[in-house]
Amino acid sequence: MDPYKQRPSSAYNTPFWTTNSGAPVWNNNSALTIGSRGPILLEDYHLVEKLANFDRERIPERVVHARGASAKGFFQVTHDITHLTCADFLQAPGVQTPVIVRFSTVIHERGSPETLRDPRGFAVKFYTKEGNFDLVGNNFPVFFVRDGMKFPDMVHALKPNPKSHIQENWRILDFFSHHPESLHMFTFLFDDLGIPQDYRHMDGSGVNTYTLINKEGKTHYVKFHWRPTCGVKSLLDEEAIRVGGSNHSHATQDLYDSIAAGNYPEWKLFIQTIDPDHEDKYDFDPLDVTKTWPEDILPLQPVGRMVLNKNIDNFFAENEQLAFCPAIIVPGIYYSDDKLLQTRIFSYADTQRHRLGPNYLQLPANAPKCAHHNNHHEGFMNFMHRDEEVNYFPSRIDPAHHAERYPQPPALYTGKRERCVIVKENNFKQPGERYRSWTSDRQERFIRRWVDALSDPRVTHEIRNIWISYWSQADKSLGQNLASLLNMKVDI
Ligand code: HEM
């Protein structure tokens, strides 16, 4: 018998109960007692083990995006983009790569309703032949802040009040009143799109700017976008109350039931690219995560399709233990200097080591599906079977060597060490354009949500004034409407 083939799995179940160490349990109902009424003996190892396991069932929930649903499927290339990238999984139209996707809400706990006004996470793990690629995105194409230094404070403001444990608008509006770059994101969050109908009917976006690099070493900045083939649908505020009131897991259920019924959700993947040699020609900085790249000048280019055709077998193994990290990339795709992305490169692997332990990448959902090798070994819960005698590098005995070199963007940096804001902030233009592109009823709903938020009695006069001033700078009539509904004056 090869003990290492007998991995813990329901495939190796005995038809009778056993302890974790495999000894038969003849009674899984009654504790071992002295006499028929007790007391219970500490030597009832099975009872103690059963309780100890139960006591430790929960792991720390994600600090954000705690509530989520996942599914599996494949990504298939439909268009040749080899002129842009040497990524193996993007090489030939027709090629398929297995994926696992996790959709999520952001702010509230693991068991919170799925009908809250909140961005939605859209994280895709591609199991490519050259290692995993994690595209950890959201349903909106922009983000609240452009410098990762602000992220923990931002999350604290959006999360429930530490005293009352209630999410409160006055705290959110206080924090963001210091950060007008958030306006664009708020034109998504307070728009009808702020509550997606479910996970199947929403867009996805990589949000951050990445870099594609081809065989010759030519780079392009890139944004990734997912578009659902069944269209984008949202819940209006009253619908959300009704749907959430009757089922607080409606989006998880919709995803699971659709896949079980063979109605497989599908998204098309598009990219937008900018040649870094031309990055100065726009009125925004391509590395600014609060900006969209206008599609009329930077058109969407089709790349492939993703189909989710398999439900997960086990929620804990393939949702709770699933771990994404924007630092996980493959040859042909690289980061950019987008400051938010740079911060994310550190934060995710760090949180996974805390949440799941140092060997989280050995968990089946996270492990690469291609052969892999290095000398990172041991540590808590390391269950990789190894029988090598050489665990150092280099060695004249172990033939393992460096992988073949692959193209990477050249790094040519000069500059002072400093902490700055970007030059082209341009915080108001795109939010204003977006607002003006809506029908009047959509604009009215947006205004009503802002009036509600700003009417929180703990929003101070000063903060209300700042928001009216910000929205006036985005669109004069929007500011005036807000001011008159709140009995205020526009004071820019
Ligand atoms: C500096 C900014 C950011 C930091 C420090 C940050 C940090 C984190 C952390 C610590 C988690 C929890 C991960 C886990 O426990 O599994 C997380 C989850 C997540 N973040 Fe961020 N985040 C940032 C910005 C963003 C942005 C811009 C996006 C959208 C592109 C995003 C999308 C997600 C998603 C989708 C998840 C959930 C992944 C999953 O389903 O497991 N985050 N983030």
Side-chain angles (χ1 to χ4, degrees), residues 210-230:
Y210 282 81
T211 307
L212 292 180
I213 181 156
N214 70 11
K215 268 207 286 289
E216 288 73 43
K218 172 68 196 154
T219 58
H220 282 87
Y221 290 142
V222 64
K223 293 258 192 211
F224 294 98
H225 302 283
W226 298 104
R227 296 279 185 266
T229 53
C230 59

Short mmCIF file of all heavy atoms in Angstrom, two decimals, residues 210-230:
data_model
loop_
_atom_site.label_atom_id
_atom_site.label_comp_id
_atom_site.label_asym_id
_atom_site.label_seq_id
_atom_site.Cartn_x
_atom_site.Cartn_y
_atom_site.Cartn_z
N TYR A 210 -2.76 46.66 -15.76
CA TYR A 210 -1.67 45.68 -15.83
C TYR A 210 -0.84 45.99 -17.07
O TYR A 210 -1.15 46.93 -17.82
CB TYR A 210 -2.23 44.26 -15.93
CG TYR A 210 -2.72 43.71 -14.59
CD1 TYR A 210 -3.98 44.06 -14.11
CD2 TYR A 210 -1.93 42.87 -13.82
CE1 TYR A 210 -4.44 43.57 -12.90
CE2 TYR A 210 -2.38 42.38 -12.61
CZ TYR A 210 -3.63 42.73 -12.15
OH TYR A 210 -4.07 42.25 -10.94
N THR A 211 0.20 45.17 -17.31
CA THR A 211 1.02 45.33 -18.51
C THR A 211 1.02 44.01 -19.27
O THR A 211 1.19 42.95 -18.67
CB THR A 211 2.48 45.67 -18.13
OG1 THR A 211 2.45 46.81 -17.25
CG2 THR A 211 3.31 46.01 -19.34
N LEU A 212 0.80 44.09 -20.58
CA LEU A 212 1.00 42.91 -21.42
C LEU A 212 2.35 43.05 -22.08
O LEU A 212 2.77 44.16 -22.44
CB LEU A 212 -0.08 42.82 -22.51
CG LEU A 212 -1.52 42.54 -22.05
CD1 LEU A 212 -2.45 42.49 -23.26
CD2 LEU A 212 -1.60 41.25 -21.25
N ILE A 213 3.02 41.94 -22.27
CA ILE A 213 4.33 41.99 -22.94
C ILE A 213 4.42 40.84 -23.93
O ILE A 213 4.07 39.70 -23.61
CB ILE A 213 5.48 42.00 -21.90
CG1 ILE A 213 6.83 42.08 -22.57
CG2 ILE A 213 5.43 40.80 -20.96
CD1 ILE A 213 7.91 42.64 -21.69
N ASN A 214 4.86 41.16 -25.15
CA ASN A 214 4.90 40.11 -26.18
C ASN A 214 6.31 39.50 -26.29
O ASN A 214 7.22 39.90 -25.55
CB ASN A 214 4.39 40.65 -27.53
CG ASN A 214 5.35 41.66 -28.17
OD1 ASN A 214 6.49 41.82 -27.72
ND2 ASN A 214 4.88 42.33 -29.20
N LYS A 215 6.44 38.55 -27.21
CA LYS A 215 7.72 37.80 -27.34
C LYS A 215 8.90 38.73 -27.57
O LYS A 215 10.02 38.47 -27.14
CB LYS A 215 7.60 36.83 -28.52
CG LYS A 215 7.12 35.45 -28.11
CD LYS A 215 7.62 34.37 -29.06
CE LYS A 215 6.96 34.32 -30.39
NZ LYS A 215 5.65 33.89 -30.63
N GLU A 216 8.64 39.82 -28.30
CA GLU A 216 9.73 40.75 -28.64
C GLU A 216 10.03 41.71 -27.49
O GLU A 216 10.93 42.54 -27.58
CB GLU A 216 9.39 41.57 -29.89
CG GLU A 216 9.43 40.78 -31.19
CD GLU A 216 8.26 39.82 -31.34
OE1 GLU A 216 7.12 40.22 -31.02
OE2 GLU A 216 8.49 38.66 -31.75
N GLY A 217 9.23 41.66 -26.45
CA GLY A 217 9.47 42.53 -25.30
C GLY A 217 8.71 43.85 -25.38
O GLY A 217 8.89 44.73 -24.54
N LYS A 218 7.82 44.00 -26.36
CA LYS A 218 7.02 45.24 -26.46
C LYS A 218 5.89 45.20 -25.42
O LYS A 218 5.18 44.20 -25.30
CB LYS A 218 6.45 45.36 -27.89
CG LYS A 218 5.47 46.49 -28.08
CD LYS A 218 6.12 47.86 -27.98
CE LYS A 218 5.08 48.95 -27.78
NZ LYS A 218 5.59 50.13 -27.09
N THR A 219 5.74 46.29 -24.69
CA THR A 219 4.72 46.32 -23.63
C THR A 219 3.52 47.19 -24.03
O THR A 219 3.65 48.13 -24.81
CB THR A 219 5.30 46.89 -22.32
OG1 THR A 219 5.79 48.20 -22.59
CG2 THR A 219 6.39 46.01 -21.76
N HIS A 220 2.38 46.86 -23.46
CA HIS A 220 1.18 47.69 -23.54
C HIS A 220 0.51 47.69 -22.18
O HIS A 220 0.41 46.62 -21.55
CB HIS A 220 0.17 47.13 -24.57
CG HIS A 220 0.54 47.45 -25.97
ND1 HIS A 220 1.38 46.64 -26.71
CD2 HIS A 220 0.17 48.48 -26.77
CE1 HIS A 220 1.53 47.18 -27.91
NE2 HIS A 220 0.81 48.30 -27.98
N TYR A 221 0.05 48.85 -21.72
CA TYR A 221 -0.82 48.85 -20.55
C TYR A 221 -2.14 48.20 -20.96
O TYR A 221 -2.60 48.35 -22.10
CB TYR A 221 -1.11 50.27 -20.09
CG TYR A 221 0.07 50.98 -19.47
CD1 TYR A 221 0.29 52.33 -19.70
CD2 TYR A 221 0.95 50.31 -18.63
CE1 TYR A 221 1.36 53.00 -19.13
CE2 TYR A 221 2.02 50.96 -18.04
CZ TYR A 221 2.22 52.30 -18.30
OH TYR A 221 3.27 52.95 -17.73
N VAL A 222 -2.76 47.51 -20.00
CA VAL A 222 -4.00 46.82 -20.34
C VAL A 222 -5.01 46.91 -19.20
O VAL A 222 -4.63 46.92 -18.02
CB VAL A 222 -3.71 45.33 -20.69
CG1 VAL A 222 -3.15 44.56 -19.49
CG2 VAL A 222 -4.96 44.62 -21.20
N LYS A 223 -6.27 47.03 -19.59
CA LYS A 223 -7.39 46.88 -18.65
C LYS A 223 -8.20 45.68 -19.13
O LYS A 223 -8.44 45.53 -20.34
CB LYS A 223 -8.31 48.11 -18.70
CG LYS A 223 -7.66 49.36 -18.16
CD LYS A 223 -8.15 49.65 -16.77
CE LYS A 223 -7.76 51.05 -16.33
NZ LYS A 223 -7.53 51.13 -14.89
N PHE A 224 -8.65 44.85 -18.18
CA PHE A 224 -9.45 43.67 -18.51
C PHE A 224 -10.92 43.93 -18.17
O PHE A 224 -11.22 44.49 -17.12
CB PHE A 224 -8.99 42.47 -17.69
CG PHE A 224 -7.59 42.01 -18.01
CD1 PHE A 224 -6.50 42.41 -17.23
CD2 PHE A 224 -7.35 41.16 -19.09
CE1 PHE A 224 -5.21 41.97 -17.51
CE2 PHE A 224 -6.05 40.72 -19.37
CZ PHE A 224 -4.99 41.13 -18.59
N HIS A 225 -11.82 43.48 -19.04
CA HIS A 225 -13.26 43.67 -18.80
C HIS A 225 -14.04 42.40 -19.13
O HIS A 225 -13.85 41.82 -20.21
CB HIS A 225 -13.82 44.78 -19.70
CG HIS A 225 -13.14 46.11 -19.51
ND1 HIS A 225 -13.38 46.93 -18.44
CD2 HIS A 225 -12.19 46.74 -20.27
CE1 HIS A 225 -12.64 48.03 -18.55
NE2 HIS A 225 -11.90 47.94 -19.64
N TRP A 226 -14.92 41.99 -18.23
CA TRP A 226 -15.84 40.87 -18.49
C TRP A 226 -17.23 41.44 -18.79
O TRP A 226 -17.70 42.32 -18.09
CB TRP A 226 -15.97 39.97 -17.25
CG TRP A 226 -14.71 39.31 -16.79
CD1 TRP A 226 -13.95 39.65 -15.71
CD2 TRP A 226 -14.10 38.14 -17.35
NE1 TRP A 226 -12.89 38.78 -15.58
CE2 TRP A 226 -12.96 37.84 -16.57
CE3 TRP A 226 -14.40 37.32 -18.45
CZ2 TRP A 226 -12.12 36.76 -16.84
CZ3 TRP A 226 -13.56 36.25 -18.72
CH2 TRP A 226 -12.44 35.98 -17.93
N ARG A 227 -17.89 40.89 -19.81
CA ARG A 227 -19.27 41.30 -20.14
C ARG A 227 -20.15 40.05 -20.17
O ARG A 227 -19.89 39.13 -20.95
CB ARG A 227 -19.33 41.98 -21.51
CG ARG A 227 -18.55 43.28 -21.61
CD ARG A 227 -19.36 44.45 -21.02
NE ARG A 227 -18.66 45.70 -21.22
CZ ARG A 227 -17.84 46.27 -20.34
NH1 ARG A 227 -17.59 45.68 -19.19
NH2 ARG A 227 -17.25 47.43 -20.60
N PRO A 228 -21.23 40.02 -19.37
CA PRO A 228 -22.08 38.82 -19.34
C PRO A 228 -22.92 38.70 -20.61
O PRO A 228 -23.46 39.71 -21.07
CB PRO A 228 -22.97 39.05 -18.12
CG PRO A 228 -23.03 40.53 -17.96
CD PRO A 228 -21.76 41.10 -18.50
N THR A 229 -23.02 37.50 -21.16
CA THR A 229 -23.80 37.37 -22.40
C THR A 229 -25.29 37.54 -22.12
O THR A 229 -26.06 37.83 -23.03
CB THR A 229 -23.55 36.00 -23.09
OG1 THR A 229 -23.78 34.99 -22.12
CG2 THR A 229 -22.15 35.88 -23.62
N CYS A 230 -25.72 37.34 -20.86
CA CYS A 230 -27.16 37.51 -20.57
C CYS A 230 -27.49 38.96 -20.18
O CYS A 230 -28.62 39.24 -19.79
CB CYS A 230 -27.61 36.54 -19.49
SG CYS A 230 -26.71 36.72 -17.94
#
